[in-house]
């Protein structure tokens, strides 16, 4: 049976201010049933885990250059090291959180996702269209029942 999930746990710094940050475990997850997305689950002390999903391509691009619109922005740090850090800024309304992660563990995770589903081949997954159709039907049904 073919592997359908790639997971990794990395330590990231939750940057509160220039003077204050603390390390937290973050689970990275990629599934073939949602081949365009990656999920990051942040395990903040004293809070329930928080999961963010966004485009795998955004994470790939953000390792090398600043990118992102809306709630997710990813950019390499200004470090002179060849494999410095990546900054991930997540925003909900006026609230935002900034995380710093080493580039190497992100690249290792992304390499594993690419071996599972090469970038640009996401549509070739036979069941993706079925899952998409089911999700769209469910969303439309929810909209019609509340509207």
């Amino acid at each position: 049976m073919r592997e359908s999930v790639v997971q990794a746990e990395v330590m990231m710094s939750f940057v509160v201010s220039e003077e204050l940050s603390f390390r937290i475990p973050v689970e990275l997850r990629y599934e073939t049933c949602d081949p365009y997305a990656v999920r990051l689950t942040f395990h903040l002390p004293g809070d329930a885990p928080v999961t963010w999903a966004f485009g795998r391509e955004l994470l790939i691009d953000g390792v090398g250059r600043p990118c992102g619109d809306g709630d997710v922005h990813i950019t390499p740090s200004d470090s002179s090291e060849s494999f410095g850090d990546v900054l991930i800024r997540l925003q909900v309304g006026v609230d935002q959180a900034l995380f710093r992660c080493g580039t190497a563990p992100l690249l290792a995770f992304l390499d594993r996702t690419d071996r599972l589903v090469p970038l640009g081949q996401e549509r070739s997954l036979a069941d993706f269209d079925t899952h998409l159709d089911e999700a769209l039907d469910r969303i439309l049904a929810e909209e019609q029942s509340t509207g």
Side-chain angles (χ1 to χ4, degrees):
M1 187 168 153
R2 185 173 180 203
E3 180 184 20
S4 62
V5 176
V6 173
Q7 282 185 268
E9 186 173 289
V10 299
M11 294 301 289
M12 291 189 186
S13 293
F14 175 40
V15 181
V16 179
S17 68
E18 284 188 32
E19 300 82 26
L20 178 63
S21 66
F22 53 93
R23 310 267 299 156
I24 63 166
V26 178
E27 178 187 330
L28 308 175
R29 185 173 178 91
Y30 176 80
E31 301 177 9
T32 57
C33 65
D34 191 2
Y36 292 100
V38 292
R39 286 175 173 66
L40 279 65
T41 300
F42 299 89
H43 297 274
L44 298 167
D47 284 334
V50 176
T51 300
W52 278 71
F54 51 86
R56 174 173 67 153
E57 195 167 351
L58 175 64
L59 186 57
I60 292 169
D61 291 345
V63 168
R65 64 178 175 81
C67 62
D69 284 327
D71 297 341
V72 180
H73 294 265
I74 303 173
T75 185
S77 69
D78 292 332
S79 174
S80 60
E81 302 170 35
S82 60
F83 284 110
D85 292 335
V86 173
L87 302 174
I88 300 173
R89 182 178 312 276
L90 306 173
Q91 186 165 346
V92 176
V94 295
D95 295 327
Q96 60 180 314
L98 179 64
F99 299 90
R100 179 183 294 268
C101 180
T103 302
L106 289 179
L107 289 175
F109 169 75
L110 290 168
D111 181 60
R112 290 176 53 213
T113 70
D114 193 61
R115 281 187 267 141
L116 183 61
V117 179
L119 190 62
Q121 299 298 312
E122 296 90 351
R123 258 189 94 63
S124 68
L125 296 176
D127 61 346
F128 178 70
D129 286 334
T130 302
H131 288 292
L132 180 60
D133 288 341
E134 290 171 0
L136 290 174
D137 288 344
R138 192 171 52 250
I139 291 168
L140 288 173
E142 289 172 5
E143 285 292 318
Q144 290 174 352
S145 69
T146 61

